[in-house]
Amino acid sequence: MDLTTYSVKVQDFVALQEIGKVLHPVLAKGQIIGGVAQAIGLALYEKVLWQDGRMLNGQMTNYIMPASCDLPPIRVIFEEIGNPHGAYGAKGIGELPMDGPAPAIVNAVVDALGIAFDSVPLLPEEILEAVTSRSIARTDNVPAESPC
């Protein structure tokens, strides 16, 4: 986290996934990396603006998504616990990698700042507002100095 710009950048990401027997390691790894990339976008970049039921920022020029330079190294580890009902022990992979990254990223910021955030994306302006509000609240609670 950069306290000059109030931006958050994920430096490294380890995805441990249990998908049963991995049938095609290259495709499975690609699915996980793509899902984690989407989840980082959800956590830090992709704010949808609505007005009268229509998306206001539905163009690539005004809907911010992470580019490859915004993504960390994503290391994928598979834990293979077979499924007797799946093909050759496989389970589904689908949107599995989307479940954990956004809450993990927001919780890392909460842990670093000691300020609770409960929504995504966690944009720099929201972090600035929270840090500023906390600073103002702290100075409001400081007793005035005694004239003596």
Side-chain angles (χ1 to χ4, degrees):
M1 171 145 172
D2 183 336
L3 289 177
T4 302
T5 63
Y6 295 93
S7 62
V8 174
K9 184 167 178 74
V10 179
Q11 299 294 322
D12 187 28
F13 198 96
V14 177
L16 173 63
Q17 302 289 316
E18 196 285 297
I19 62 167
K21 175 70 177 150
V22 179
L23 299 179
H24 196 302
V26 173
L27 290 180
K29 183 178 179 182
Q31 176 71 18
I32 300 299
I33 290 171
V36 169
Q38 284 182 281
I40 290 171
L42 170 69
L44 300 174
Y45 299 99
E46 300 182 33
K47 184 169 185 93
V48 178
L49 301 175
W50 296 97
Q51 183 177 44
D52 300 325
R54 299 191 78 172
M55 187 175 176
L56 293 177
N57 58 334
Q59 297 80 34
M60 295 300 288
T61 55
N62 60 9
Y63 184 81
I64 308 302
M65 296 177 7
S68 60
C69 62
D70 299 313
L71 298 173
I74 300 170
R75 295 180 282 149
V76 178
I77 301 166
F78 291 109
E79 177 70 25
E80 294 186 86
I81 301 173
N83 178 0
H85 305 291
Y88 303 102
K91 295 180 183 178
I93 192 170
E95 299 301 320
L96 180 66
M98 287 286 295
D99 294 343
I105 292 165
V106 173
N107 283 336
V109 175
V110 169
D111 187 52
L113 295 178
I115 300 172
F117 296 95
D118 60 2
S119 64
V120 291
L122 189 53
L123 301 175
E125 51 269 28
E126 293 163 354
I127 297 171
L128 171 62
E129 182 181 326
V131 169
T132 304
S133 297
R134 182 177 71 175
S135 297
I136 291 170
R138 284 188 177 168
T139 57
D140 287 346
N141 294 329
V142 174
E145 289 187 40
S146 170
C148 301

